[in-house]
């Protein structure tokens, strides 16, 4: 019997506890004190101020399993979801951290001990990478761990040098990969499971690196990826904590997982997005038109569209929330407490969008049909604008559908149409203002107000006329 994901999580946390680490509960997906970041996207985020020396904690070693969402900013894996075997929007990152305590040697040794002795991954299938100038890490892997040089890849800055921002703590990293065999290609064959970051420099405004007096360790390992290796599944989506969601999608749609690439992608997207929605809304994000809320709204609409592709034309996501909660509630008790709330939010949102989706999908399909008949691989700006404006169909969905069918959309043309629309609105507004002028006049006359009180009163004042 292979290890279950919940067991792997617990093995990781207790392994590092035994190595003197304090177990720290996952922080919310909403970053507490980082306005630059929409969602927590790595295990180190809640510890950022500790690494920067701005915050003191009563421990120098910590271990956590952090909820992560990679749907915005520098880390945005949304478009990968469903297509690669290893990317999710929402996933759990296992990590051990040292705040000026142990460093490279221990970090490497702990990681190696965990993967080979606790998880018992076969040594001959493991590869690592180091930053090309990091002789020290190379030597530790080679001489102390005993990996032959051909299994230690030296990579450049892009892959193996990490930095928090333009300035501040940074350093080389070292990653662990599992060779999954010849039937996989490239990154899918050598699956990256664990990233060890050696935070050993500070970068100043001029770009100069100076060594930190007390270097830090930050590591991150994707729980779902490790589970897929141990459970020997082709992708992350067949592991024990995700597969029930694939089955949920099958039940709802009648589609069979494995029957076609298109269906598989759709079922995976639905499974992934259900997890993201459940966790994000449970942490307090409400679908809206801006910021975090907008990201969540997009995810929900995207999931609905993939449902639609499978022939589901009714709201269904709220039913999937129960499946997520059942699987994850022991590890994340907050899910049980917020279950009904999350379901209500999702249900309301999908009921509102489903009609738009139906009409919009038909309109977009017709546009694509017409473009094909005319031998175009481009949807015209005014066509896209029509679907957007008449049906309120989100631009990113139109773009995605077009791309799936091998077509592009004329963004510039779309912008021109948008501008024309604004212009029309402005003119209309001016006319309306002229109409209400007597009202202002009247109000002034009766001494009610002498200042412009803002556009929100506009509606009211036209009503007065
Ligand atoms: P990849 O190169 O596969 O996109 P990454 O280098 O972007 O991964 P890191 O930023 O190093 O990933 O994150 C640390 C670990 O978190 C990875 O080694 C992987 O196990 C896991 N991970 C990263 N992104 C995802 C994701 N989108 N879904 C699931 N697990 C992920
Ligand atoms: Mg990535
Ligand atoms: Mg990588
Ligand atoms: Mg990485």
């Amino acid at each position: 019997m292979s290890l279950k994901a919940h067991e792997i999580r617990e093995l990781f946390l207790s392994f590092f506890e035994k190595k003197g680490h304090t177990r720290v509960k996952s922080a919310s997906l909403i970053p507490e004190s980082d306005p630059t970041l929409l969602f927590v996207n790595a295990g180190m985020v809640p510890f950022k101020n500790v690494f920067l020396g701005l915050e003191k904690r009563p421990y120098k070693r910590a271990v956590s399993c952090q909820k992560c969402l990679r749907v915005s900013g520098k880390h945005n894996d949304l478009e990968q979801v469903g297509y690669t075997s290893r990317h999710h929007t929402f996933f759990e990152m296992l990590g051990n951290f040292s705040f000026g305590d142990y460093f490279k040697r221990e970090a490497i040794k702990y990681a190696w001990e965990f993967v080979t002795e606790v998880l018992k991954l076969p040594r001959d299938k493991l590869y690592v990478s180091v930053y090309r100038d990091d002789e020290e890490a190379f030597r530790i892997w080679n001489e102390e761990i005993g990996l032959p040089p051909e299994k230690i890849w030296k990579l450049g800055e892009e892959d193996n040098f990490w930095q928090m921002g333009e300035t501040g703590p940074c350093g080389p990293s070292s990653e662990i990969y599992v060779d999954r065999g010849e039937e996989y290609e490239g990154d899918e064959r050598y699956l990256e499971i664990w990233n060890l970051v050696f935070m050993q420099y500070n970068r100043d405004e001029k770009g100069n690196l100076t060594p930190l007096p007390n270097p830090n360790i930050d590591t991150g390992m994707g729980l779902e990826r490790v589970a897929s290796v141990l459970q020997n599944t082709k992708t992350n989506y067949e592991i024990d904590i995700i597969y029930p969601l694939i089955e949920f999608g099958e039940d709802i749609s009648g589609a069979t997982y494995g029957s076609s690439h298109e269906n598989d992608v759709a079922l995976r997207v639905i499974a992934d997005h259900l997890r993201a929605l459940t966790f994000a809304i449970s942490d307090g994000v409400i679908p809206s038109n801006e910021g975090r809320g907008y990201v969540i709204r997009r995810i929900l609409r995207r999931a609905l569209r993939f449902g639609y592709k499978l022939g589901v034309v009714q709201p269904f996501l709220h039913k999937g929330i129960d499946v997520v909660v059942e699987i994850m509630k022991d590890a994340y008790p907050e899910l049980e407490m917020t279950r009904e709330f999350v379901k209500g939010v999702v249900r309301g949102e999908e009921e509102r969008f489903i009609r738009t989706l139906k009409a919009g999908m038909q309109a977009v399909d017709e546009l694509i049909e017409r473009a094909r008949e005319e031998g175009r691989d481009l949807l015209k700006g005014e066509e896209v604008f029509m679907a957007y404006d008449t049906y309120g169909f989100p631009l990113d969905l139109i773009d995605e559908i077009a791309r799936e069918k091998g077509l592009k959309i004329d963004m510039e043309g779309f912008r021109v149409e948008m501008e024309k629309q604004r212009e029309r609105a402005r003119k209309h507004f001016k006319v309306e203002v002229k109409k209400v002028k007597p009202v202002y006049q009247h109000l002034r006359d009766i001494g009610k107000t002498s200042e412009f009180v803002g556009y929100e009163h506009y509606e009211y004042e036209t009503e007065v006329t």
Side-chain angles (χ1 to χ4, degrees), residues 49 132 196 260 297 352 360 428:
N49 284 339
R132 57 164 185 257
L196 317 176
S260 79
R297 174 165 279 171
R352 274 192 296 281
H428 180 70

Side-chain angles (χ1 to χ4, degrees), residues 329-341:
K329 67 181 183 196
D330 288 342
Y332 299 94
E334 70 267 25
L335 294 179
E336 183 68 282
M337 278 148 56
T338 52
R339 183 202 293 252
E340 292 311 317
F341 171 73

Side-chain angles (χ1 to χ4, degrees), residues 5 13 23 48 60 192 196 199 201 203 273 277 288 291 299 366 404 414 418 423 446:
L13 296 169
R23 187 189 289 226
K48 204 166 157 180
K60 293 185 117 182
E192 176 190 326
L196 317 176
M199 239 181 263
Y201 301 111
R203 194 190 292 273
H273 288 11
L277 291 169
S288 74
I299 291 182
E366 277 163 26
E404 273 176 22
F414 175 81
M418 207 51 186
E423 197 48 43
I446 58 173

Side-chain angles (χ1 to χ4, degrees), residues 40-80:
V40 169
N41 57 17
M44 61 78 60
V45 173
F47 300 109
K48 204 166 157 180
N49 284 339
V50 188
F51 285 125
L52 288 169
L54 300 171
E55 189 190 328
K56 278 264 171 290
R57 297 267 173 110
Y59 44 78
K60 293 185 117 182
R61 298 175 173 211
V63 60
S64 70
C65 177
Q66 174 65 43
K67 303 181 264 192
C68 293
L69 200 55
R70 293 201 168 180
V71 284
S72 52
K74 194 174 134 210
H75 289 293
N76 188 345
D77 291 336
L78 187 67
E79 311 251 307
Q80 259 74 271

Side-chain angles (χ1 to χ4, degrees), residues 115-350:
V115 292
T116 60
E117 289 174 32
V118 180
L119 300 182
K120 300 192 167 45
L121 292 180
R123 281 159 210 256
D124 59 319
K125 297 273 189 277
L126 297 173
Y127 288 74
V128 303
S129 65
V130 295
Y131 178 52
R132 57 164 185 257
D133 296 338
D134 191 356
E135 289 303 328
E136 191 188 357
F138 186 92
R139 211 179 32 70
I140 297 170
W141 282 117
N142 182 221
E143 291 170 18
E144 301 186 30
I145 301 292
L147 278 183
E150 66 273 15
K151 294 185 109 194
I152 311 171
W153 304 322
K154 291 187 172 182
L155 300 181
E157 219 148 287
E158 205 151 278
D159 292 295
N160 282 65
F161 197 89
W162 178 90
Q163 43 199 66
M164 202 179 280
E166 294 300 309
T167 58
C170 57
S173 67
S174 178
E175 298 190 312
I176 302 179
Y177 305 80
V178 180
D179 179 4
R180 295 201 291 168
E182 278 163 10
E183 60 271 37
Y184 300 89
E185 274 173 34
D187 290 351
E188 296 278 88
R189 171 168 182 178
Y190 297 99
L191 180 72
E192 176 190 326
I193 56 164
W194 202 346
N195 185 359
L196 317 176
V197 178
F198 313 128
M199 239 181 263
Q200 66 188 101
Y201 301 111
N202 185 48
R203 194 190 292 273
D204 67 19
E205 278 80 20
K206 291 188 191 125
N208 298 322
L209 297 179
T210 44
L212 290 170
N214 299 307
N216 303 303
I217 290 294
D218 150 33
T219 87
M221 169 155 70
L223 173 64
E224 299 79 2
R225 288 193 195 182
V226 183
S228 91
V229 171
L230 290 164
Q231 297 174 12
N232 199 16
T233 61
K234 217 164 164 344
T235 82
N236 283 6
Y237 291 88
E238 296 93 53
I239 65 169
D240 61 333
I241 55 169
I242 301 187
Y243 197 66
L245 290 160
I246 296 283
E247 292 176 318
F248 166 78
E250 289 184 311
D251 283 350
I252 286 285
S253 66
T256 310
Y257 193 57
S259 64
S260 79
H261 176 66
E262 264 203 321
N263 281 0
D264 291 357
V265 169
L267 289 167
R268 287 186 206 130
V269 168
I270 291 167
D272 173 273
H273 288 11
L274 272 172
R275 282 163 33 99
L277 291 169
T278 307
F279 276 92
I281 300 171
S282 172
D283 274 347
V285 184
I286 304 294
S288 74
N289 273 336
E290 55 187 20
R292 291 184 183 105
Y294 185 60
V295 173
I296 294 310
R297 174 165 279 171
R298 273 187 67 184
I299 291 182
L300 185 142
R301 292 176 168 186
R302 197 162 180 267
L304 275 184
R305 181 176 78 81
F306 277 93
Y308 186 90
K309 280 181 82 172
L310 295 176
V312 188
V313 291
Q314 300 299 327
F316 68 100
L317 292 169
H318 59 281
K319 297 181 190 150
I321 305 296
D322 280 325
V323 186
V324 180
V325 175
E326 285 308 316
I327 302 168
M328 304 299 280
K329 67 181 183 196
D330 288 342
Y332 299 94
E334 70 267 25
L335 294 179
E336 183 68 282
M337 278 148 56
T338 52
R339 183 202 293 252
E340 292 311 317
F341 171 73
V342 175
K343 281 169 72 177
V345 169
V346 168
R347 185 173 195 149
E349 185 75 10
E350 43 180 354

